[in-house]
PDB file of all heavy atoms in Angstrom:
ATOM      1  N   LEU A 264       1.345  10.783  -3.452  1.00 98.00           N
ATOM      2  CA  LEU A 264       0.618  11.278  -4.522  1.00 98.00           C
ATOM      3  C   LEU A 264      -0.700  11.970  -3.901  1.00 98.00           C
ATOM      4  O   LEU A 264      -1.215  11.557  -2.925  1.00 98.00           O
ATOM      5  CB  LEU A 264       0.071  10.209  -5.436  1.00 98.00           C
ATOM      6  CG  LEU A 264       1.179   9.394  -6.203  1.00 98.00           C
ATOM      7  CD1 LEU A 264       0.585   8.273  -6.904  1.00 98.00           C
ATOM      8  CD2 LEU A 264       1.776  10.332  -7.214  1.00 98.00           C
ATOM      9  N   PRO A 265      -1.073  13.150  -4.521  1.00 98.00           N
ATOM     10  CA  PRO A 265      -2.363  13.864  -4.060  1.00 98.00           C
ATOM     11  C   PRO A 265      -3.545  12.976  -4.354  1.00 98.00           C
ATOM     12  O   PRO A 265      -3.576  12.243  -5.405  1.00 98.00           O
ATOM     13  CB  PRO A 265      -2.353  15.139  -4.845  1.00 98.00           C
ATOM     14  CG  PRO A 265      -1.572  14.721  -6.071  1.00 98.00           C
ATOM     15  CD  PRO A 265      -0.454  13.783  -5.590  1.00 98.00           C
ATOM     16  N   GLY A 266      -4.543  12.990  -3.676  1.00 96.00           N
ATOM     17  CA  GLY A 266      -5.731  12.161  -3.893  1.00 96.00           C
ATOM     18  C   GLY A 266      -5.469  10.644  -3.665  1.00 96.00           C
ATOM     19  O   GLY A 266      -6.381   9.850  -3.922  1.00 96.00           O
ATOM     20  N   HIS A 267      -4.414  10.327  -3.085  1.00 97.00           N
ATOM     21  CA  HIS A 267      -4.173   8.835  -2.827  1.00 97.00           C
ATOM     22  C   HIS A 267      -4.155   8.533  -1.354  1.00 97.00           C
ATOM     23  O   HIS A 267      -3.374   8.968  -0.603  1.00 97.00           O
ATOM     24  CB  HIS A 267      -2.797   8.477  -3.426  1.00 97.00           C
ATOM     25  CG  HIS A 267      -2.438   7.056  -3.346  1.00 97.00           C
ATOM     26  ND1 HIS A 267      -2.326   6.232  -2.340  1.00 97.00           N
ATOM     27  CD2 HIS A 267      -2.302   6.133  -4.447  1.00 97.00           C
ATOM     28  CE1 HIS A 267      -1.980   5.043  -2.570  1.00 97.00           C
ATOM     29  NE2 HIS A 267      -2.007   4.937  -3.849  1.00 97.00           N
ATOM     30  N   THR A 268      -5.061   7.650  -0.946  1.00 97.00           N
ATOM     31  CA  THR A 268      -5.222   7.224   0.450  1.00 97.00           C
ATOM     32  C   THR A 268      -5.076   5.586   0.477  1.00 97.00           C
ATOM     33  O   THR A 268      -5.783   4.925  -0.268  1.00 97.00           O
ATOM     34  CB  THR A 268      -6.382   7.634   1.130  1.00 97.00           C
ATOM     35  OG1 THR A 268      -7.560   7.070   0.388  1.00 97.00           O
ATOM     36  CG2 THR A 268      -6.600   9.093   1.061  1.00 97.00           C
ATOM     37  N   SER A 269      -4.179   5.114   1.320  1.00 97.00           N
ATOM     38  CA  SER A 269      -4.066   3.633   1.527  1.00 97.00           C
ATOM     39  C   SER A 269      -3.950   3.383   2.840  1.00 97.00           C
ATOM     40  O   SER A 269      -3.229   3.975   3.657  1.00 97.00           O
ATOM     41  CB  SER A 269      -3.018   3.073   0.573  1.00 97.00           C
ATOM     42  OG  SER A 269      -1.701   3.675   0.986  1.00 97.00           O
ATOM     43  N   PHE A 270      -4.511   2.255   3.303  1.00 97.00           N
ATOM     44  CA  PHE A 270      -4.493   1.757   4.718  1.00 97.00           C
ATOM     45  C   PHE A 270      -4.876   0.297   4.819  1.00 97.00           C
ATOM     46  O   PHE A 270      -5.490  -0.238   3.946  1.00 97.00           O
ATOM     47  CB  PHE A 270      -5.359   2.691   5.587  1.00 97.00           C
ATOM     48  CG  PHE A 270      -6.738   2.864   5.141  1.00 97.00           C
ATOM     49  CD1 PHE A 270      -7.719   1.965   5.527  1.00 97.00           C
ATOM     50  CD2 PHE A 270      -7.069   3.786   4.356  1.00 97.00           C
ATOM     51  CE1 PHE A 270      -9.063   2.037   5.153  1.00 97.00           C
ATOM     52  CE2 PHE A 270      -8.411   3.877   3.788  1.00 97.00           C
ATOM     53  CZ  PHE A 270      -9.371   3.007   4.244  1.00 97.00           C
ATOM     54  N   CYS A 271      -4.462  -0.229   5.972  1.00 97.00           N
ATOM     55  CA  CYS A 271      -4.939  -1.564   6.220  1.00 97.00           C
ATOM     56  C   CYS A 271      -5.784  -1.578   7.470  1.00 97.00           C
ATOM     57  O   CYS A 271      -5.455  -0.905   8.493  1.00 97.00           O
ATOM     58  CB  CYS A 271      -3.687  -2.477   6.612  1.00 97.00           C
ATOM     59  SG  CYS A 271      -2.645  -2.747   5.003  1.00 97.00           S
ATOM     60  N   VAL A 272      -6.794  -2.306   7.382  1.00 97.00           N
ATOM     61  CA  VAL A 272      -7.730  -2.533   8.563  1.00 97.00           C
ATOM     62  C   VAL A 272      -7.490  -3.889   9.269  1.00 97.00           C
ATOM     63  O   VAL A 272      -7.635  -4.853   8.608  1.00 97.00           O
ATOM     64  CB  VAL A 272      -9.219  -2.326   8.318  1.00 97.00           C
ATOM     65  CG1 VAL A 272     -10.066  -2.480   9.479  1.00 97.00           C
ATOM     66  CG2 VAL A 272      -9.497  -1.092   7.608  1.00 97.00           C
ATOM     67  N   GLU A 273      -7.007  -3.922  10.450  1.00 96.00           N
ATOM     68  CA  GLU A 273      -6.595  -5.226  11.089  1.00 96.00           C
ATOM     69  C   GLU A 273      -7.774  -6.085  11.285  1.00 96.00           C
ATOM     70  O   GLU A 273      -9.017  -5.744  11.518  1.00 96.00           O
ATOM     71  CB  GLU A 273      -5.838  -4.930  12.321  1.00 96.00           C
ATOM     72  CG  GLU A 273      -4.563  -4.237  12.182  1.00 96.00           C
ATOM     73  CD  GLU A 273      -3.686  -4.184  13.410  1.00 96.00           C
ATOM     74  OE1 GLU A 273      -3.380  -5.272  14.005  1.00 96.00           O
ATOM     75  OE2 GLU A 273      -3.346  -3.120  13.837  1.00 96.00           O
ATOM     76  N   PHE A 274      -7.504  -7.406  11.236  1.00 95.00           N
ATOM     77  CA  PHE A 274      -8.361  -8.527  11.622  1.00 95.00           C
ATOM     78  C   PHE A 274      -9.416  -8.894  10.500  1.00 95.00           C
ATOM     79  O   PHE A 274     -10.211  -9.827  10.623  1.00 95.00           O
ATOM     80  CB  PHE A 274      -9.045  -8.258  12.840  1.00 95.00           C
ATOM     81  CG  PHE A 274      -8.197  -7.809  13.919  1.00 95.00           C
ATOM     82  CD1 PHE A 274      -8.353  -6.530  14.602  1.00 95.00           C
ATOM     83  CD2 PHE A 274      -7.061  -8.651  14.443  1.00 95.00           C
ATOM     84  CE1 PHE A 274      -7.573  -6.173  15.571  1.00 95.00           C
ATOM     85  CE2 PHE A 274      -6.320  -8.303  15.459  1.00 95.00           C
ATOM     86  CZ  PHE A 274      -6.520  -6.972  16.007  1.00 95.00           C
ATOM     87  N   ILE A 275      -9.455  -8.142   9.378  1.00 94.00           N
ATOM     88  CA  ILE A 275     -10.420  -8.486   8.259  1.00 94.00           C
ATOM     89  C   ILE A 275      -9.747  -8.305   6.962  1.00 94.00           C
ATOM     90  O   ILE A 275      -8.697  -7.721   6.738  1.00 94.00           O
ATOM     91  CB  ILE A 275     -11.687  -7.493   8.412  1.00 94.00           C
ATOM     92  CG1 ILE A 275     -11.285  -6.139   8.360  1.00 94.00           C
ATOM     93  CG2 ILE A 275     -12.579  -7.845   9.498  1.00 94.00           C
ATOM     94  CD1 ILE A 275     -12.443  -5.148   8.476  1.00 94.00           C
ATOM     95  N   GLU A 276     -10.343  -8.936   5.883  1.00 94.00           N
ATOM     96  CA  GLU A 276      -9.773  -8.825   4.607  1.00 94.00           C
ATOM     97  C   GLU A 276     -10.271  -7.778   3.728  1.00 94.00           C
ATOM     98  O   GLU A 276     -11.431  -7.321   3.792  1.00 94.00           O
ATOM     99  CB  GLU A 276      -9.965 -10.180   3.893  1.00 94.00           C
ATOM    100  CG  GLU A 276      -9.363 -11.432   4.482  1.00 94.00           C
ATOM    101  CD  GLU A 276      -9.627 -12.727   3.740  1.00 94.00           C
ATOM    102  OE1 GLU A 276     -10.331 -12.699   2.650  1.00 94.00           O
ATOM    103  OE2 GLU A 276      -8.897 -13.654   4.064  1.00 94.00           O
ATOM    104  N   GLY A 277      -9.283  -7.267   2.953  1.00 95.00           N
ATOM    105  CA  GLY A 277      -9.591  -6.009   2.123  1.00 95.00           C
ATOM    106  C   GLY A 277     -10.757  -6.346   1.044  1.00 95.00           C
ATOM    107  O   GLY A 277     -11.574  -5.512   0.785  1.00 95.00           O
ATOM    108  N   GLU A 278     -10.700  -7.557   0.591  1.00 94.00           N
ATOM    109  CA  GLU A 278     -11.692  -7.915  -0.406  1.00 94.00           C
ATOM    110  C   GLU A 278     -13.251  -7.937   0.128  1.00 94.00           C
ATOM    111  O   GLU A 278     -14.096  -7.524  -0.519  1.00 94.00           O
ATOM    112  CB  GLU A 278     -11.443  -9.317  -1.052  1.00 94.00           C
ATOM    113  CG  GLU A 278     -10.200  -9.373  -2.075  1.00 94.00           C
ATOM    114  CD  GLU A 278      -8.938  -9.478  -1.246  1.00 94.00           C
ATOM    115  OE1 GLU A 278      -8.950  -9.581  -0.003  1.00 94.00           O
ATOM    116  OE2 GLU A 278      -7.837  -9.165  -1.902  1.00 94.00           O
ATOM    117  N   ALA A 279     -13.273  -8.233   1.370  1.00 96.00           N
ATOM    118  CA  ALA A 279     -14.571  -8.250   2.055  1.00 96.00           C
ATOM    119  C   ALA A 279     -14.928  -6.951   2.186  1.00 96.00           C
ATOM    120  O   ALA A 279     -16.316  -6.455   1.869  1.00 96.00           O
ATOM    121  CB  ALA A 279     -14.532  -8.984   3.356  1.00 96.00           C
ATOM    122  N   MET A 280     -14.139  -5.993   2.585  1.00 97.00           N
ATOM    123  CA  MET A 280     -14.539  -4.501   2.704  1.00 97.00           C
ATOM    124  C   MET A 280     -14.819  -3.976   1.353  1.00 97.00           C
ATOM    125  O   MET A 280     -15.842  -3.103   1.297  1.00 97.00           O
ATOM    126  CB  MET A 280     -13.410  -3.866   3.231  1.00 97.00           C
ATOM    127  CG  MET A 280     -13.142  -4.056   4.831  1.00 97.00           C
ATOM    128  SD  MET A 280     -11.934  -3.012   5.569  1.00 97.00           S
ATOM    129  CE  MET A 280     -10.428  -3.708   4.859  1.00 97.00           C
ATOM    130  N   LEU A 281     -14.115  -4.406   0.377  1.00 97.00           N
ATOM    131  CA  LEU A 281     -14.412  -3.839  -1.037  1.00 97.00           C
ATOM    132  C   LEU A 281     -15.773  -4.156  -1.534  1.00 97.00           C
ATOM    133  O   LEU A 281     -16.458  -3.302  -1.994  1.00 97.00           O
ATOM    134  CB  LEU A 281     -13.263  -4.319  -1.859  1.00 97.00           C
ATOM    135  CG  LEU A 281     -13.180  -3.978  -3.386  1.00 97.00           C
ATOM    136  CD1 LEU A 281     -11.884  -4.151  -3.888  1.00 97.00           C
ATOM    137  CD2 LEU A 281     -14.283  -4.686  -4.259  1.00 97.00           C
ATOM    138  N   MET A 282     -16.087  -5.445  -1.194  1.00 97.00           N
ATOM    139  CA  MET A 282     -17.439  -5.912  -1.762  1.00 97.00           C
ATOM    140  C   MET A 282     -18.551  -5.214  -0.986  1.00 97.00           C
ATOM    141  O   MET A 282     -19.549  -4.860  -1.492  1.00 97.00           O
ATOM    142  CB  MET A 282     -17.565  -7.453  -1.642  1.00 97.00           C
ATOM    143  CG  MET A 282     -16.609  -8.202  -2.517  1.00 97.00           C
ATOM    144  SD  MET A 282     -16.697  -7.755  -4.142  1.00 97.00           S
ATOM    145  CE  MET A 282     -18.285  -8.218  -4.716  1.00 97.00           C
ATOM    146  N   LEU A 283     -18.471  -5.054   0.251  1.00 97.00           N
ATOM    147  CA  LEU A 283     -19.526  -4.372   1.092  1.00 97.00           C
ATOM    148  C   LEU A 283     -19.559  -2.883   0.842  1.00 97.00           C
ATOM    149  O   LEU A 283     -20.631  -2.257   0.710  1.00 97.00           O
ATOM    150  CB  LEU A 283     -19.377  -4.585   2.573  1.00 97.00           C
ATOM    151  CG  LEU A 283     -19.613  -6.005   3.064  1.00 97.00           C
ATOM    152  CD1 LEU A 283     -19.339  -6.286   4.556  1.00 97.00           C
ATOM    153  CD2 LEU A 283     -20.996  -6.429   2.756  1.00 97.00           C
ATOM    154  N   LEU A 284     -18.331  -2.301   0.493  1.00 98.00           N
ATOM    155  CA  LEU A 284     -18.408  -0.811   0.180  1.00 98.00           C
ATOM    156  C   LEU A 284     -19.067  -0.773  -1.180  1.00 98.00           C
ATOM    157  O   LEU A 284     -19.882   0.270  -1.517  1.00 98.00           O
ATOM    158  CB  LEU A 284     -17.026  -0.367   0.053  1.00 98.00           C
ATOM    159  CG  LEU A 284     -16.348   0.095   1.424  1.00 98.00           C
ATOM    160  CD1 LEU A 284     -14.805   0.333   1.202  1.00 98.00           C
ATOM    161  CD2 LEU A 284     -17.001   1.342   2.000  1.00 98.00           C
ATOM    162  N   ASN A 285     -18.836  -1.648  -2.114  1.00 98.00           N
ATOM    163  CA  ASN A 285     -19.460  -1.632  -3.384  1.00 98.00           C
ATOM    164  C   ASN A 285     -20.945  -1.746  -3.221  1.00 98.00           C
ATOM    165  O   ASN A 285     -21.723  -1.112  -4.034  1.00 98.00           O
ATOM    166  CB  ASN A 285     -18.861  -2.842  -4.239  1.00 98.00           C
ATOM    167  CG  ASN A 285     -19.540  -2.793  -5.720  1.00 98.00           C
ATOM    168  OD1 ASN A 285     -19.263  -1.797  -6.392  1.00 98.00           O
ATOM    169  ND2 ASN A 285     -20.238  -3.766  -6.103  1.00 98.00           N
ATOM    170  N   SER A 286     -21.472  -2.513  -2.227  1.00 97.00           N
ATOM    171  CA  SER A 286     -22.914  -2.582  -2.088  1.00 97.00           C
ATOM    172  C   SER A 286     -23.532  -1.267  -1.580  1.00 97.00           C
ATOM    173  O   SER A 286     -24.783  -1.116  -1.606  1.00 97.00           O
ATOM    174  CB  SER A 286     -23.279  -3.679  -1.131  1.00 97.00           C
ATOM    175  OG  SER A 286     -22.713  -3.390   0.210  1.00 97.00           O
ATOM    176  N   GLN A 287     -22.671  -0.451  -1.056  1.00 98.00           N
ATOM    177  CA  GLN A 287     -23.083   0.875  -0.600  1.00 98.00           C
ATOM    178  C   GLN A 287     -22.792   2.022  -1.714  1.00 98.00           C
ATOM    179  O   GLN A 287     -22.861   3.193  -1.372  1.00 98.00           O
ATOM    180  CB  GLN A 287     -22.370   1.252   0.685  1.00 98.00           C
ATOM    181  CG  GLN A 287     -22.714   0.460   1.877  1.00 98.00           C
ATOM    182  CD  GLN A 287     -24.253   0.547   2.313  1.00 98.00           C
ATOM    183  OE1 GLN A 287     -24.745   1.514   2.316  1.00 98.00           O
ATOM    184  NE2 GLN A 287     -24.796  -0.624   2.394  1.00 98.00           N
ATOM    185  N   GLY A 288     -22.340   1.567  -2.870  1.00 98.00           N
ATOM    186  CA  GLY A 288     -22.162   2.516  -3.989  1.00 98.00           C
ATOM    187  C   GLY A 288     -20.830   3.033  -3.980  1.00 98.00           C
ATOM    188  O   GLY A 288     -20.603   4.103  -4.769  1.00 98.00           O
ATOM    189  N   VAL A 289     -19.829   2.549  -3.305  1.00 98.00           N
ATOM    190  CA  VAL A 289     -18.480   3.107  -3.151  1.00 98.00           C
ATOM    191  C   VAL A 289     -17.536   2.099  -3.896  1.00 98.00           C
ATOM    192  O   VAL A 289     -17.409   0.857  -3.502  1.00 98.00           O
ATOM    193  CB  VAL A 289     -17.981   3.265  -1.758  1.00 98.00           C
ATOM    194  CG1 VAL A 289     -16.539   3.886  -1.747  1.00 98.00           C
ATOM    195  CG2 VAL A 289     -19.076   4.194  -0.971  1.00 98.00           C
ATOM    196  N   ALA A 290     -16.835   2.636  -4.863  1.00 98.00           N
ATOM    197  CA  ALA A 290     -15.792   1.885  -5.617  1.00 98.00           C
ATOM    198  C   ALA A 290     -14.429   2.097  -5.066  1.00 98.00           C
ATOM    199  O   ALA A 290     -14.027   3.263  -5.125  1.00 98.00           O
ATOM    200  CB  ALA A 290     -15.913   2.177  -7.136  1.00 98.00           C
ATOM    201  N   VAL A 291     -13.708   1.072  -4.687  1.00 98.00           N
ATOM    202  CA  VAL A 291     -12.350   1.237  -4.229  1.00 98.00           C
ATOM    203  C   VAL A 291     -11.505  -0.054  -4.639  1.00 98.00           C
ATOM    204  O   VAL A 291     -12.136  -0.893  -5.277  1.00 98.00           O
ATOM    205  CB  VAL A 291     -12.328   1.363  -2.679  1.00 98.00           C
ATOM    206  CG1 VAL A 291     -13.121   2.484  -2.132  1.00 98.00           C
ATOM    207  CG2 VAL A 291     -12.788  -0.008  -1.990  1.00 98.00           C
ATOM    208  N   SER A 292     -10.252   0.007  -4.393  1.00 95.00           N
ATOM    209  CA  SER A 292      -9.475  -1.138  -4.596  1.00 95.00           C
ATOM    210  C   SER A 292      -8.809  -1.690  -3.440  1.00 95.00           C
ATOM    211  O   SER A 292      -8.762  -1.141  -2.301  1.00 95.00           O
ATOM    212  CB  SER A 292      -8.300  -0.706  -5.635  1.00 95.00           C
ATOM    213  OG  SER A 292      -8.758  -0.559  -6.945  1.00 95.00           O
ATOM    214  N   SER A 293      -8.402  -2.936  -3.489  1.00 89.00           N
ATOM    215  CA  SER A 293      -7.549  -3.540  -2.491  1.00 89.00           C
ATOM    216  C   SER A 293      -6.208  -3.931  -3.068  1.00 89.00           C
ATOM    217  O   SER A 293      -6.094  -5.065  -3.690  1.00 89.00           O
ATOM    218  CB  SER A 293      -8.261  -4.781  -1.932  1.00 89.00           C
ATOM    219  OG  SER A 293      -7.481  -5.445  -0.943  1.00 89.00           O
ATOM    220  N   GLY A 294      -5.264  -2.967  -3.087  1.00 69.00           N
ATOM    221  CA  GLY A 294      -4.026  -3.267  -3.803  1.00 69.00           C
ATOM    222  C   GLY A 294      -4.011  -2.778  -5.246  1.00 69.00           C
ATOM    223  O   GLY A 294      -4.998  -2.066  -5.622  1.00 69.00           O
ATOM    224  N   SER A 295      -3.215  -3.237  -6.058  1.00 48.00           N
ATOM    225  CA  SER A 295      -3.059  -2.836  -7.399  1.00 48.00           C
ATOM    226  C   SER A 295      -4.126  -3.396  -8.174  1.00 48.00           C
ATOM    227  O   SER A 295      -4.471  -4.584  -8.110  1.00 48.00           O
ATOM    228  CB  SER A 295      -1.592  -3.354  -8.023  1.00 48.00           C
ATOM    229  OG  SER A 295      -1.621  -3.171  -9.470  1.00 48.00           O
ATOM    230  N   ALA A 296      -4.687  -2.678  -9.201  1.00 49.00           N
ATOM    231  CA  ALA A 296      -5.754  -3.080 -10.120  1.00 49.00           C
ATOM    232  C   ALA A 296      -5.228  -4.388 -10.990  1.00 49.00           C
ATOM    233  O   ALA A 296      -6.096  -5.241 -11.238  1.00 49.00           O
ATOM    234  CB  ALA A 296      -6.230  -2.019 -10.946  1.00 49.00           C
TER     235      ALA A 296
END
């Protein structure tokens, strides 16, 4: 899909990245909403 990027960052959890990105003003998902 255009505009769709998905990846895994090894050794850490997606939810932790999601919350810290949110603290920087960036809204993302970790898997399906």
Side-chain angles (χ1 to χ4, degrees):
L264 294 170
H267 188 293
T268 62
S269 58
F270 51 89
C271 296
V272 181
E273 295 189 56
F274 313 116
I275 51 182
E276 293 188 351
E278 287 77 13
M280 288 186 286
L281 186 155
M282 297 306 295
L283 289 178
L284 281 169
N285 185 59
S286 72
Q287 295 296 314
V289 182
V291 302
S292 283
S293 180
S295 167

